Amino acid sequence: MEAVSSVPPQLGAKSIMSQRWSDASFLHWRVSPDQVARYMPEGCVPDIVDGSAWVGLIAFQMSRSAFFGGPPIPWLGDFPEVNVRLYSVDRLGRRGVVFLSLEASHLLPVLCARAFFGLKYQWASMAIERQNGQISYSTRRHGNREVRSNLIVEPQSNGIESLPENEQASAVALTARWAFHQRHLGRTLYCRNFHEPWPLRTARLVSLDDQLLAAAGFEGLAAREPDSVLYAHAVDTVFAAPISL
């Protein structure tokens, strides 16, 4: 099995897409492996981190989207995203994430991601605001306005080095994910990405009013305090073409 490391392995193939991810907030809850096993694509099992499976609610700003080495696409490739994700290991020992939902504010990228990768993108009305050292993320899904999330975090000045050792290790294991697994058209896809290590900082959850977790199958989880709250300013990432598992 791949070792967990904050240092990414090389992409190993030609990049087909690049993006910048900024103002990224990571909220994570411990759950039992049985709760997430049924969501794993064929050929994958839950990745156990510090004795638990985990559910993540991740919010960030996507920008500078470009394809095949071309220039960034103005406007269309620049939008907020909020996703609900799980953590996987495939039969070759490669770690990844499994997306249960991904909210995005531009319809064309939603349609393309669903068609080409099978990713469960949803078109939503979204905003990110920064005020008084806090960052707020809001999303409301088109076609089902009850599925929404309003999240406010306050990044702290401390890096994850200030956390206990087991929490440092968990922070790396839950964010240093260099691929996703996705079932699409009868195949399990494995899609690699590469970016510099996340510049992780601790963060404080100010408020959370969320229905995305419940809509993804985790009713009541948002009412619990997250077991981990982290923030990172920005990374630039590139993706390789997906391959079949």
Side-chain angles (χ1 to χ4, degrees):
M1 183 180 295
E2 290 180 341
V4 176
S5 172
S6 62
V7 180
Q10 292 300 309
L11 190 62
K14 185 176 180 180
S15 168
I16 64 167
M17 180 172 62
S18 61
Q19 299 171 338
R20 166 162 277 207
W21 300 334
S22 55
D23 281 329
S25 291
F26 303 85
L27 276 60
H28 284 101
W29 290 261
R30 292 178 181 269
V31 296
S32 71
D34 290 344
Q35 289 178 272
V36 304
R38 65 191 179 100
Y39 297 105
M40 292 291 113
E42 183 177 326
C44 298
V45 297
D47 191 8
I48 306 304
V49 175
D50 194 27
S52 299
W54 296 74
V55 178
L57 181 67
I58 318 299
F60 61 96
Q61 177 72 33
M62 184 183 296
S63 62
R64 302 185 188 178
S65 297
F67 296 89
F68 302 105
I73 302 171
W75 182 77
L76 191 62
D78 190 340
F79 51 85
E81 180 177 313
V82 179
N83 63 61
V84 177
R85 73 188 199 184
L86 309 175
Y87 300 94
S88 52
V89 179
D90 66 29
R91 58 175 172 252
L92 299 179
R94 299 175 300 193
R95 289 184 163 88
V97 303
V98 173
F99 293 106
L100 297 186
S101 66
L102 308 95
E103 316 295 305
S105 59
H106 290 176
L107 181 58
L108 183 58
V110 166
L111 296 175
C112 290
R114 292 178 73 96
F116 295 126
F117 301 107
L119 291 169
K120 298 170 182 146
Y121 266 96
Q122 305 288 337
W123 186 31
S125 175
M126 307 183 72
I128 297 179
E129 297 181 358
R130 303 158 188 83
Q131 188 174 14
N132 299 325
Q134 298 178 350
I135 305 174
S136 66
Y137 311 81
S138 62
T139 180
R140 187 179 293 271
R141 192 175 293 178
H142 292 301
N144 190 348
R145 306 290 285 175
E146 296 304 310
V147 182
R148 67 187 189 282
S149 187
N150 293 284
L151 162 65
I152 302 176
V153 299
E154 184 177 304
Q156 306 295 291
S157 59
N158 295 329
I160 62 170
E161 297 79 13
S162 64
L163 297 173
E165 285 189 10
N166 69 310
E167 293 184 24
Q168 290 183 46
S170 295
V172 170
L174 295 172
T175 59
R177 314 297 295 198
W178 313 116
F180 68 78
H181 293 107
Q182 176 63 41
R183 193 71 179 168
H184 185 48
L185 300 177
R187 303 177 298 158
T188 296
L189 301 180
Y190 174 76
C191 186
R192 282 271 294 110
N193 66 63
F194 175 91
H195 59 76
E196 64 268 27
W198 284 107
L200 291 172
R201 292 155 56 185
T202 60
R204 182 176 71 89
L205 178 61
V206 178
S207 66
L208 176 64
D209 176 14
D210 177 81
Q211 295 299 320
L212 298 180
L213 291 166
F218 294 91
E219 187 75 38
L221 194 61
R224 279 175 37 194
E225 284 291 318
D227 295 288
S228 173
V229 182
L230 302 168
Y231 170 83
H233 174 62
V235 295
D236 295 305
T237 186
V238 294
F239 285 86
I243 59 175
S244 296
L245 183 60

